[in-house]
Amino acid sequence: MIGAVDIGGTKIAVGMVDGNGRVLARTQAPTDPERYSEGIERIVKMLRETEQEAGAEITGIGIGSTGPVDPMRGEFGDVDFLPGWRGKSPVNDLARIFNVGVALENDGDAAALAEAGWGAGRNRTRLIYVTVGTGIGGGIVLDGKLYRGVDGAHPEIGHHVLDWSGPPCYCGARGCWECLASGPAMTAWMQAQDASRGRTPEQICELARGGEPLARRAVEREGFYIGLGVANLVNMFLPGEIALGGGVMKSADLFLDRIRQVVREICTQVPAEKTTIALASLGADTGLLGAARAWSHRSRR
Ligand SMILES: [Zn+2]
């Protein structure tokens, strides 16, 4: 049984996952920018509680985390919501406390491993996971293995540039995929058309379903820009599957056809019809399953 730790900006989820990808017990706590030692203490307590509830012993621990992490050294980088964690190694500390192997991955990479192992991309050797929510991120699995950049660095697919005349991004570029197609980008576009309309992506989708013209344009634009980024991934990698997850994709029925249409129209120099573009299938369990999969992926080597 794998102890899974999913660290995000608002909550830390901990659970027990069996070898078939079933979550046997789970708990969560809000993420506080507290001292590292207190954070680790709390995670240890949550692991012990869920271990007891699941009634089996932990054989390994996987951690998936938002923000820059060094998967090879098992250390945290400059994670903005955990300022005291920089340079700390929960991998070493949890390994010492539980006396088991521990693996750490970026949560986009962890989610990609989960989808490839237990989700939409099962039996596909090449899968790209894309999450469209408050930002755009993801992970790339090739031949069943996580693709890593140099020194284990995590590639940022959300910051590939689609339109230099687009809005500026905090990364320094303009018109990144994330700036054009994330949930906040949808809200910003709507507001730019009509300043009185501060709407969340969910509200825009709801209005579009009711036929409201401006909301329908926002949805059409969103599908187009998600589609452009997906088309670039298809042209560059031609994976067997692109699995789309994240908050915006909860309204996938409004976007999927448009995304597939863009890919069909512009990916003419590759056999794009061989890439399945589908909704990620693990839903709310993605974080815990990804963390668990991060451990099994590492321990296989
Ligand atoms: Zn950017």
Side-chain angles (χ1 to χ4, degrees):
M1 189 175 63
I2 308 158
V5 182
D6 173 30
I7 301 174
T10 56
K11 69 175 167 63
I12 295 178
V14 169
M16 293 296 134
V17 179
D18 73 8
N20 297 316
R22 283 181 309 169
V23 181
L24 304 177
R26 73 182 79 214
T27 183
Q28 67 178 59
T31 308
D32 289 329
E34 60 195 336
R35 280 184 304 170
Y36 171 76
S37 57
E38 287 164 11
I40 270 293
E41 239 169 68
R42 185 186 308 172
I43 289 171
V44 169
K45 195 162 158 264
M46 289 160 83
L47 280 166
R48 296 239 193 263
E49 279 167 14
T50 47
E51 181 184 31
Q52 201 165 27
E53 193 187 329
E57 212 166 295
I58 292 175
T59 50
I61 296 172
I63 309 168
S65 177
T66 314
V69 296
D70 184 329
M72 292 321 179
R73 295 160 66 94
E75 284 178 7
F76 272 68
D78 234 335
V79 178
D80 52 4
F81 55 86
L82 292 169
W85 287 45
R86 192 197 161 97
K88 297 287 195 281
S89 175
V91 166
N92 290 344
D93 293 334
L94 293 177
R96 199 187 57 246
I97 293 165
F98 286 89
N99 200 25
V100 294
V102 182
L104 169 68
E105 296 288 357
N106 167 281
D107 60 354
D109 286 335
L113 287 169
E115 285 293 334
W118 289 322
R122 210 180 315 208
N123 306 322
R124 306 249 186 213
T125 56
R126 297 173 183 81
L127 171 137
I128 300 180
Y129 170 79
V130 179
T131 171
V132 186
T134 52
I136 295 184
I140 302 165
V141 175
L142 296 175
D143 297 325
K145 281 194 183 150
L146 191 60
Y147 170 80
R148 297 184 195 282
V150 65
D151 287 339
H154 172 70
E156 289 290 349
I157 58 175
H159 293 277
H160 85 271
V161 174
L162 292 179
D163 179 4
W164 194 255
S165 65
C169 179
Y170 63 89
C171 76
R174 303 181 63 91
C176 301
W177 194 12
E178 175 170 309
C179 282
L180 291 165
S182 64
M186 218 177 158
T187 299
W189 183 86
M190 193 82 171
Q191 208 148 21
Q193 310 311 305
D194 176 354
S196 68
R197 310 265 294 241
R199 305 274 190 197
T200 65
E202 299 78 43
Q203 288 168 333
I204 296 168
C205 290
E206 208 42 55
L207 285 170
R209 283 201 182 85
E212 206 274 327
L214 190 60
R216 286 180 61 166
R217 276 175 62 205
V219 162
E220 180 344 272
R221 179 190 167 279
E222 176 71 6
F224 171 72
Y225 278 119
I226 298 174
L228 268 193
V230 167
N232 286 341
L233 295 176
V234 171
N235 271 333
M236 288 190 278
F237 293 95
L238 204 70
E241 167 123 7
I242 293 184
L244 298 166
V248 169
M249 279 299 134
K250 286 184 180 149
S251 306
D253 58 305
L254 294 176
F255 306 120
L256 266 182
D257 285 349
R258 184 70 175 115
I259 293 167
R260 292 181 179 130
Q261 184 192 18
V262 172
V263 170
R264 259 197 321 275
E265 280 173 11
I266 68 178
C267 298
T268 60
Q269 305 304 298
V270 294
E273 70 283 357
K274 294 188 175 164
T275 300
T276 301
I277 297 164
L279 202 55
S281 61
L282 300 174
D285 282 338
T286 303
L288 288 178
L289 295 178
R293 209 62 202 184
W295 177 80
S296 48
H297 176 256
R298 199 77 63 87
S299 62
R300 257 192 305 139
R301 288 175 318 168

